[in-house]
Amino acid sequence: MRIDSVQPPAVPHFFLYGEAPRDADDRFLHLEALDDRSRPNRWTIRPHVHSGLHQLLLIAEGAGEMRAEEARFGFAAPCLLAVPAGTAHGFRFTDGTVGTVVTLSSRYLRDLCGREPELAALFADPAALALPEPGAVEE
C-alpha cells in the first residue's frame, strides 16, 4: 500500500504583496501605509516571500500576529517588525491597526550596512521588537 505524502501549498513569491516578482533596483526603497494592503485584505496578509527585499513594519497603533517561517510572533503597538529577504511571512492585524511598511532591496541594505554596520543585526532573523511608548522617558 502506497501512501503519497501531502505537499504543503507553495508559498507565493511577490515583489510587493500581490505584485508579480521582478528585480528591484539597487537603491529600491518603498514606504506605504500599513492599511494600503491590509485593509482590502481584511487585515490578513497571507504567507508569502520577497526574494530580494527586506521589510520593516512600524506598528504605531493596534496589534496582531506575525508568522515568519514556522515561528509566530504576537505584537502590540508600539513595535517594529523585521522581516529579512527570503523569509516566508504573513500577518494578521487587529482591525484598524496603524503603521508604516518600509521595503528595501538587499543591495541597498548592504550599502547602508557599510556605513552603519549595526543595522545588519536588525535583519539577522525575523523579529517583533517592542518600542518605548511615545513620550516615555528612559532612565
Side-chain angles (χ1 to χ4, degrees):
M1 179 165 145
R2 180 177 169 204
I3 300 174
D4 291 323
S5 63
V6 176
Q7 295 293 327
V11 177
H13 286 246
F14 293 128
F15 184 68
L16 297 175
Y17 188 71
E19 298 179 9
R22 67 178 192 262
D23 291 331
D25 294 335
D26 286 353
R27 296 209 175 258
F28 179 81
L29 178 67
H30 179 80
L31 297 163
E32 70 180 26
L34 178 99
D35 69 347
D36 284 355
R37 294 176 202 264
S38 58
R39 186 179 300 275
N41 288 290
R42 296 187 176 149
W43 302 100
T44 298
I45 302 297
R46 295 184 185 273
H48 62 283
V49 174
H50 307 286
S51 296
L53 299 174
H54 302 271
Q55 291 188 309
L56 289 173
L57 291 79
L58 177 60
I59 308 299
E61 296 176 20
E65 180 180 76
M66 174 175 75
R67 297 173 92 185
E69 299 296 341
E70 298 302 317
R72 292 176 185 240
F73 301 85
F75 61 85
C79 69
L80 186 67
L81 307 176
V83 182
T87 302
H89 63 286
F91 305 94
R92 185 170 306 266
F93 301 104
T94 57
D95 290 2
T97 295
V98 175
T100 302
V101 181
V102 178
T103 305
L104 67 156
S105 68
S106 293
R107 176 61 192 261
Y108 196 24
L109 179 61
R110 277 193 301 277
D111 290 349
L112 292 171
C113 290
R115 289 178 273 172
E116 297 293 335
E118 303 82 25
L119 188 58
L122 184 58
F123 292 99
D125 294 298
L129 308 167
L131 298 175
E133 291 287 335
V137 178
E138 290 187 34
E139 295 187 28

